[in-house]
Amino acid sequence: MKPCTSAWGQKWVPELIKHQDEPMSLEEVIEDCRKAVIENSLALAQRAYADKH
Amino acid sequence: MGERIPGRSVESVIEQTDLSLLLDTSTEPMNATPNDSKKRIEQLKHLQAWETQTARLLGGWQPAVRLWEAKHAIGLHLWRDLQTAGELRTRLWELRVSRPDGSAVVESVLPAIKILACAQQDFEFIAGLYLGAKKALAEAYRAYLEETHATWDVPSIDILRRAAVIKETKIEWAEAYLAQVATSDERRHIVERWANYAVEVITAAGGVCGEDERSAELPPPGYGCLLPFGECKRDDRFKVQLQGYDRPPIDDDEAHTLWQFVSYTIEMQAAETLASVLWEGEGMDWEFYYDVARHCYDECRHSKMGEERVRELGHEIFEIPQFTGNYAWRQLYDPMRRYGMLTYIIEQDSFALKHETYKNYVKIGDTTSAEAIMYDIIDETMHVRLGAEMGAGID
Ligand SMILES: [Fe+2]
Ligand SMILES: [Fe+2]
């Protein structure tokens, strides 16, 4: 079995979007994810880095 | 294992590209065991499906397993299951089965898996999965090895021998875990009852090779399903707090190093989120499960790496409160967003921090911490979108 070396987020988030019938585009979903981390994360460094982008 | 004489020449076998033609015994029966390969293919199809679906189920339960060492072990086991499934699928591909997940296979496995999910306690679940499903798999591998042809089917034999040993080791692990956790008569009774029930369910589903008669209905569990879990559990040795820690200044070597490796121990929450995605992402391509299982196991290893380094720094992880709230709030989002947050945001953003701290460890001569971070960066480059380019900048 060939080991999988591709970038997993890039590979599977679009597939999950299709699988879930998600109406948002990939870019919108990623922005949504960033907002969720900034608003909710309890790891302060995580929140700070997400906020810098 | 008896020697058998094939009914056709090696040349004629090689010329065939479609194995289904070879299996058409009505036109040209094999001498010894007509339909032998057809039977083996059906068994392998079911076995790989059981490996895949039990790994998903382990993922569903992993966040709710309390004992820290067991949580780690399950991260490894679900990855091993997917590796075994991958080897079986490769063998099936050699046998000209390119799509082993036919609806008949999934329909016979998934309902049983969903019933095994309905245990109410972590040790009960482990009893059913390991002493029921995994034991059935180990026995099926041993039976296959006994029955298959010692020459024709050598590639399968290599795979199944390894698979049998891996399963038997995991069953031994579960027996030791249950001896540690199920210490009261009541708990031992629950273990025995649920393990026996799991065997009944698997038998009613036609067995892990899918060749026994299936009952019209599987025996009902009598419980509702608790999955997916909204909170991840820690055992009683841990102190748990809601909030994470402030990052100390990087030039405060001692405090910063401890902070960084404690943060690694808390990556168990990433493993738990990925484990939940493994379970909740039903109906995805098989390769998705393979990748998520590896990712989940990697995060367990990062947590372990943190734990070992924290110990080397003179502390025990149980002294330092863990926080579990990141798993909890992520569960409020759908599995796709959870996976997107981890891969596109959290892991990707963490590269800057890792890069900075790696350089600092090199500068202050802490080569152990630097090496640990380097291994983590290597794993993380597989996890994120731009990881390969950013990781390449580390010197
Ligand atoms: Fe990690
Ligand atoms: Fe990661």
Side-chain angles (χ1 to χ4, degrees), chain A residues 1 4 6-12 16 19-20 22 24 29-30 32-33 36 40-42 44 46 50 53, chain B residues 242-244 246 282-284 287-288 291 295 325-326 329 333-334 336-337 339 343-344 346 349 382-384:
Chain A
M1 186 91 203
C4 174
S6 64
W8 291 335
Q10 200 172 38
K11 184 174 170 189
W12 290 116
L16 286 162
H19 187 70
Q20 270 184 211
E22 170 62 47
M24 283 190 185
V29 161
I30 301 311
D32 216 25
C33 291
N40 298 300
S41 179
L42 300 167
L44 304 178
Q46 216 170 70
H53 286 78
Chain B
L242 192 64
Q243 194 66 36
D246 279 327
E282 189 182 321
M284 290 290 287
E287 218 185 317
F288 173 74
D291 287 350
H295 196 166
N326 276 351
W329 72 257
Y333 291 83
D334 57 72
M336 179 272 287
R337 280 181 174 72
Y339 189 74
T343 54
Y344 270 86
I346 295 170
D349 289 346
M382 293 213 301
H383 301 180
V384 302

Side-chain angles (χ1 to χ4, degrees), chain B residues 117-137:
Chain B
C118 294
Q120 300 292 289
Q121 308 199 55
D122 56 358
F123 64 87
E124 183 181 29
F125 161 71
I126 286 173
L129 197 80
Y130 286 74
L131 307 185
K134 284 184 188 282
K135 201 171 255 181
L137 282 165

